[in-house]
Amino acid sequence: LTSEAVAAKKPAEVSKVLAQALCFCWRIGLAVALLGSVLAPLLLRLSSVEATSPLLGPAKAYLVPRLWGTPGLLSLIVLQATLSGAFRDTGAVLRLVLLGAGINAVLTPLAVVLLKGGTA
């Protein structure tokens, strides 16, 4: 839909379609994060981590924060698809990936060291 709107030179339609896609991604991502967090013990049991396993606590401590990253990840996928598909702007896609890697490189050590966010 975004490609069609770009080709038709309808910037308002491009914005509308992109906003709808991002809202949809956030809703789906939040649903995955919320349900996954609530069902984490069941999901881990399906992954062969028994309820009596000493790994259950660390596995859940790792899984739940990863699930809460789902809305952002889905948004990045939509932005990447839009930039590379509709606008044919591979440079912007690369900059977006590099920005994400840079943010990750800064926030991960901060979360682990300062906020004691590590699970190991």
Side-chain angles (χ1 to χ4, degrees), residues 13-86:
E13 184 72 18
V14 172
S15 296
K16 178 183 169 190
V17 170
L18 186 55
Q20 288 174 339
L22 289 172
C23 279
F24 182 72
C25 285
W26 272 91
R27 288 178 182 161
I28 295 297
L30 287 174
V32 167
L34 184 62
L35 287 172
S37 295
V38 170
L39 299 174
L42 174 64
L43 294 172
L44 290 169
R45 273 185 295 208
L46 291 172
S47 300
S48 300
V49 180
E50 298 296 327
T52 58
S53 172
L55 295 177
L56 182 64
K60 185 177 177 186
Y62 176 80
L63 177 63
V64 172
R66 298 287 294 189
L67 287 169
W68 284 100
T70 305
L73 177 64
L74 292 177
S75 297
L76 285 174
I77 291 169
V78 165
L79 289 173
Q80 178 186 4
T82 300
L83 290 171
S84 63

